[in-house]
Amino acid sequence: MDFTDFHDWVYRQFKINLNAYKPEQLNRRIGSLMSRIGVTSLEDYKRILSVDKEQREKFLDFITINVTEFFRNPELFLELQDILKEYSKNNFSLKIWSAACSIGCEPYSIAMIIKEIAPNIRANIIATDIDSNILKRAEKGEYLPVEMKNVSEFYKSKYFNKVNDRFLIDNKIRAMVTFKKHDLIVDSYEDGFDLIVCRNVIIYFKNEVKQEIFKKFSNSLKKDGLLFVGATESIYNYKEFNLEKVSTFIYKRV
């Protein structure tokens, strides 16, 4: 079995399209997982994933790249806050999508910002990820101190409850976010969004897949709706997607 066959098997088994990822980087990650448990062939690894739930969950978690933190790149979130503050003046409600949300730091960060800049506005934040297990953790809203490094003391005291060594997100913030499973590659997209946030994920995809995702994001935005991408994910051909640049990593649908 070669990597192409293995990718096809993963799609049949888990409905994850590994062919959308940059192959060199992805296959190195798979090889690293195999070496950790002393497996040398993809055929053997496939058999293990078929019967071993723990290894299967480790594989899915590792492949779907669950790396996140609150207010990742804080200076960019400050820019988003200023832009959203102005945007929200002309809106009575906000429909927001946090795509590839991992353990929930990103959608909760956005919810806290909205509570501060527009406390009376009705915000519906849909947070999605491909990993069902990680979504369960996100729904709990429970975080270790190391995961809180960018959270100010003001936000900690106002929007978290400290229980032993954990920080629990406040219920009024949790109620603003709905978590759903979604695959950016194969699933359909909702529309009518005021803001879509998808950061530090698209960088792992092949260029043609990136372009298709940007097109779908644009089509999912309202006119003047905002797209916020990661600090390494500038969209150089943004005009092709009916977007204009508002800030370095924030775009507006025109």
Side-chain angles (χ1 to χ4, degrees):
M1 170 178 276
D2 61 16
F3 275 111
T4 300
D5 294 331
F6 182 75
H7 293 177
D8 291 342
W9 176 80
V10 169
Y11 182 74
R12 292 194 303 273
Q13 196 75 12
F14 306 117
K15 293 295 182 283
I16 296 175
N17 183 8
L18 297 184
N19 293 320
Y21 292 75
K22 294 176 180 176
E24 298 85 0
Q25 194 174 41
L26 174 68
N27 294 340
R28 278 198 305 271
R29 292 172 69 83
I30 294 171
S32 174
L33 281 172
M34 291 168 59
S35 66
R36 290 182 188 184
I37 58 174
V39 176
T40 57
S41 81
L42 288 166
E43 190 66 50
D44 288 342
Y45 192 44
K46 184 187 86 169
R47 279 194 285 268
I48 289 170
L49 295 180
S50 298
V51 298
D52 189 324
K53 182 181 178 183
E54 181 182 353
Q55 289 303 324
R56 186 162 59 247
E57 289 182 356
K58 285 182 178 179
F59 169 75
L60 294 174
D61 184 54
F62 198 65
I63 292 304
T64 49
I65 314 160
N66 287 307
V67 178
T68 188
E69 59 192 48
F70 285 97
F71 303 102
R72 188 170 183 176
N73 311 115
E75 69 284 359
L76 301 184
F77 268 92
L78 286 174
E79 289 184 21
L80 177 68
Q81 179 174 305
D82 291 341
I83 293 166
L84 267 182
K85 188 172 184 179
E86 193 63 31
Y87 182 91
S88 63
K89 289 178 182 177
N90 301 315
N91 291 274
F92 300 106
S93 64
L94 295 174
K95 182 180 180 183
I96 295 168
W97 180 15
S98 173
C101 70
S102 188
I103 59 174
C105 298
E106 186 177 87
Y108 289 141
S109 295
I110 297 162
M112 288 186 279
I113 286 173
I114 291 169
K115 273 294 181 188
E116 288 301 308
I117 64 172
N120 298 318
I121 208 164
R122 184 164 49 87
N124 173 27
I125 302 172
I126 300 168
T128 66
D129 200 275
I130 196 172
D131 187 334
S132 299
N133 291 319
I134 219 72
L135 286 171
K136 290 175 185 175
R137 190 182 161 201
E139 286 180 325
K140 287 179 68 178
E142 182 178 298
Y143 300 96
L144 295 167
V146 69
E147 294 165 333
M148 301 284 291
K149 65 178 183 178
N150 291 330
V151 183
S152 68
E153 289 302 321
F154 172 79
Y155 276 127
K156 280 181 186 175
S157 61
K158 190 169 183 179
Y159 296 120
F160 290 86
N161 300 303
K162 185 110 184 298
V163 179
N164 299 321
D165 65 337
R166 304 293 173 103
F167 289 86
L168 304 180
I169 198 81
D170 190 89
N171 284 336
K172 61 179 170 286
I173 297 298
R174 191 200 313 271
M176 295 171 67
V177 184
T178 302
F179 292 95
K180 297 180 180 179
K181 186 174 181 180
H182 182 271
D183 186 327
L184 286 169
I185 309 299
V186 301
D187 291 335
S188 60
Y189 291 22
E190 289 188 35
D191 57 16
F193 288 105
D194 296 282
L195 170 66
I196 296 174
V197 182
C198 185
R199 310 184 68 232
N200 310 298
V201 175
I202 293 176
I203 190 174
Y204 296 103
F205 297 142
K206 294 176 181 176
N207 188 58
E208 60 269 25
V209 176
K210 287 183 192 177
Q211 302 305 305
E212 184 63 23
I213 289 174
F214 288 142
K215 179 181 175 182
K216 289 180 179 179
F217 279 158
S218 177
N219 291 338
S220 293
L221 287 169
K222 290 180 181 176
K223 185 179 183 301
D224 295 328
L226 303 167
L227 173 62
F228 182 29
V229 299
T232 57
E233 295 172 328
S234 287
I235 308 172
Y236 298 107
N237 58 334
Y238 56 87
K239 291 182 180 178
E240 294 179 20
F241 307 114
N242 296 315
L243 299 171
E244 69 177 37
K245 189 173 268 196
V246 180
S247 181
T248 311
F249 302 101
I250 301 173
Y251 301 84
K252 180 173 75 173
R253 177 75 156 85
V254 294

